[in-house]
Amino acid sequence: MNPLHDSSPTVPAAAGTGTARKTIPIHAEPPEAGRSFYEKRQKIHPRSIAGRFAAWRWALVWLTQLFFYGVPWLQIHGRQALLFDLEQRRFYIFGWLLVPQDFIYLAVLLIISALALFLFTAVAGRLWCGFSCPQTVYTELFMWIERRTEGDRSARLRLDGSGWTAEKIAKRGAKHGLWLLVALWTGVTFVGYFVPIRSLVVDLASFTGPWQMFWTLFYATATYTNAGFLREQVCKYMCPYARFQSAMMDRDTLVVSYDSGRGEGEKGRSPRAKGADHRAQGLGDCIECALCVQVCPAGIDIRDGLQYECIGCGLCIDACNGVMDKMHYTRGLIRLSTQNALAGGWSRAQTWRRIARPRVLLYAVGLVGITVAMVVSLSLRTPLQVDVVRDRGTLSRIVSGGQIENIYRVQIANATERPQRLRLSASGLGGVHVASDSEVWLEGAQDRWVVVRLQAPYGAAEAGSHPVTIHVQAEGDAALQVAAKTTFLVPR
């Protein structure tokens, strides 16, 4: 008998019950003593697979990375085509120059991104996660390097289980060396969207620019760690999207699904000889090959049903379709379908009719409407920005010549790539005019504050506040003009 139990305090039975005194161990040993609270991570070695979904994933890897690595080197008007210059507060976006006054476009862009995420998730679940998320893209890229240096899945498993030999050191060294190169270049490219990349490369090569060096190493380390080591753990435990995606999905959302009614049969799933009449044996179409598990980058078994870890990449569909072809079974044991379609045995046409439900249509209309409105607004945008601030020190005064004078501070931003000579004028009150220098010279992508003095004849208006407009007109370009409204104070 366990001595801990013998020495445990006892609790007497309730009085008057007539039952014997009962010993209840208070400090009993837990039934699973010694077992760790956290499950040790089992490293996942996904098997490479060919198929439609794998081809789509690689197409998006190429598309996103050609854009990401290539765009910072493009030049337009002698400047980087895409540059978010935070120090100068200038955003250069393919010929457009946005200044802080254009912050509204950033807000609209975030709204468009959110609506697009809602739409894609409502239609087909985690499309973003499976095909375009940077974590997915760089994990796929790093795993490709791993396969090239260490071999296929079985070779990598053998390498993990072997001791440290010269061959293992060489293969692991080559893998991590290539990972580091990709990670460093990714860090350089990312920082190159905020600092001109051509000068950034020179600064990093000469070990100047400590902040540029810090952020480059920071993002390189994040890429190396997340794509090389954490991989699916980022999606499972760190990304919040996996947790709240269910709020945007329902039973009519397309998800990667296993048709258990077809796959299990009366006697479940089991291996069988090719060409055997499995229906006569009461077996389902699933031959228990486990390829769907081996190719999954998240390491889950889709046959257990929909799980939050599933990123919707569809690689298990490619693997299963390949097996079905070899066994001469109908494809689609694992396929993109909806829960309602699987339960009701719907056809493809019936499934798609239910996918186009009111919520999806509402997202689509909102997304298209806001996108069109933003494009139209950008195309009609005047590349001059003017902000008027009244001088708080002197609201209104009478100057020589019997003139009433108001003083303003005007910020003018030239959101074009060429220098502009601007002329200032005023309207809205009889005789109001610009008494200060009415011409302002601005270089391309420059802004400055100027002091503007407006004067009006004494008696031109009653005492009080009167609306006036300050006009800014570019010489030689009648279309390049902007007006800013303010008030003119007439003293009593």
Side-chain angles (χ1 to χ4, degrees), residues 96-291:
W96 277 326
L97 172 60
L98 303 183
V99 294
Q101 291 87 339
D102 295 315
F103 184 81
I104 183 64
Y105 292 113
L106 175 60
V108 174
L109 183 61
L110 293 176
I111 294 173
I112 291 174
S113 301
L115 279 176
L117 183 65
F118 296 162
L119 173 63
F120 297 148
T121 305
V123 172
R126 297 178 67 174
L127 279 180
W128 167 257
C129 295
F131 295 90
S132 301
C133 174
Q135 177 65 22
T136 297
V137 169
Y138 285 106
T139 297
E140 187 72 19
L141 185 59
F142 274 44
M143 287 194 300
W144 178 83
I145 294 174
E146 189 173 57
R147 288 194 295 268
R148 290 295 179 179
T149 54
E150 296 185 355
D152 58 13
R153 180 175 183 270
S154 57
R156 297 196 303 273
L157 288 172
R158 287 195 302 269
L159 194 66
D160 279 354
S162 66
W164 283 99
T165 62
E167 179 186 8
K168 183 172 182 177
I169 293 173
K171 289 182 176 180
R172 288 286 164 89
K175 178 183 75 173
H176 286 282
L178 291 173
W179 281 2
L180 285 171
L181 286 176
V182 173
L184 283 171
W185 194 242
T186 301
V188 171
T189 303
F190 187 84
V191 176
Y193 280 93
F194 302 92
V195 178
I197 195 167
R198 296 170 188 262
S199 61
L200 173 65
V201 172
V202 174
D203 291 342
L204 293 177
S206 59
F207 296 97
T208 57
W211 280 110
Q212 291 90 324
M213 180 73 72
F214 169 79
W215 287 113
T216 299
L217 293 176
F218 177 85
Y219 289 111
T221 303
T223 304
Y224 178 70
T225 303
N226 290 344
F229 298 95
L230 297 179
R231 294 186 178 177
E232 79 286 349
Q233 295 182 94
V234 174
C235 305
K236 285 183 178 181
Y237 308 119
M238 298 170 63
C239 178
Y241 182 51
R243 303 294 177 176
F244 66 75
Q245 60 162 328
S246 59
M248 295 181 281
M249 297 169 57
D250 55 31
R251 294 184 61 85
D252 288 315
T253 298
L254 281 172
V255 292
V256 178
S257 306
Y258 168 68
D259 191 344
S260 58
R262 173 186 160 187
E264 302 298 318
E266 296 177 1
K267 296 183 179 179
R269 51 184 186 250
S270 175
R272 78 289 309 267
K274 185 176 179 181
D277 188 356
H278 63 289
R279 296 296 183 189
Q281 301 174 24
L283 299 174
D285 284 358
C286 179
I287 67 171
E288 198 67 87
C289 63
L291 283 180

Side-chain angles (χ1 to χ4, degrees), residues 324-355:
M324 294 296 103
D325 291 343
K326 291 178 181 178
M327 298 297 294
H328 303 293
Y329 297 166
T330 304
R331 286 187 165 201
L333 178 59
I334 301 176
R335 62 184 183 271
L336 278 179
S337 186
T338 69
Q339 291 176 287
N340 281 334
L342 283 177
W346 295 347
S347 65
R348 185 183 297 269
Q350 290 175 308
T351 302
W352 279 101
R353 278 198 296 270
R354 286 293 296 269
I355 289 173

Side-chain angles (χ1 to χ4, degrees), residues 17 66-67 164 355:
T17 60
L66 283 174
F67 181 91
W164 283 99
I355 289 173

Side-chain angles (χ1 to χ4, degrees), residues 441-460:
W441 173 264
L442 283 181
E443 297 290 342
Q446 182 188 16
D447 71 284
R448 55 183 289 199
W449 288 91
V450 296
V451 176
V452 176
R453 295 185 291 112
L454 295 187
Q455 293 183 357
Y458 187 82

Side-chain angles (χ1 to χ4, degrees), residues 55 76 191 228 230 256 279 316 361 382 385 414 449 457-458 460 472:
I76 296 180
V191 176
L230 297 179
V256 178
R279 296 296 183 189
C316 54
L361 297 178
T382 301
Q385 303 288 337
N414 178 15
W449 288 91
Y458 187 82
V472 180

Side-chain angles (χ1 to χ4, degrees), residues 328-398:
H328 303 293
Y329 297 166
T330 304
R331 286 187 165 201
L333 178 59
I334 301 176
R335 62 184 183 271
L336 278 179
S337 186
T338 69
Q339 291 176 287
N340 281 334
L342 283 177
W346 295 347
S347 65
R348 185 183 297 269
Q350 290 175 308
T351 302
W352 279 101
R353 278 198 296 270
R354 286 293 296 269
I355 289 173
R357 53 202 185 278
R359 183 173 63 157
V360 170
L361 297 178
L362 183 63
Y363 288 154
V365 170
L367 179 62
V368 172
I370 295 177
T371 303
V372 170
M374 180 176 176
V375 172
V376 171
S377 177
L378 280 171
S379 62
L380 298 177
R381 165 179 167 271
T382 301
L384 273 181
Q385 303 288 337
V386 176
D387 285 334
V388 179
V389 179
R390 293 191 57 86
D391 189 308
R392 297 183 179 180
T394 306
L395 296 179
S396 180
R397 64 184 181 183
I398 300 177

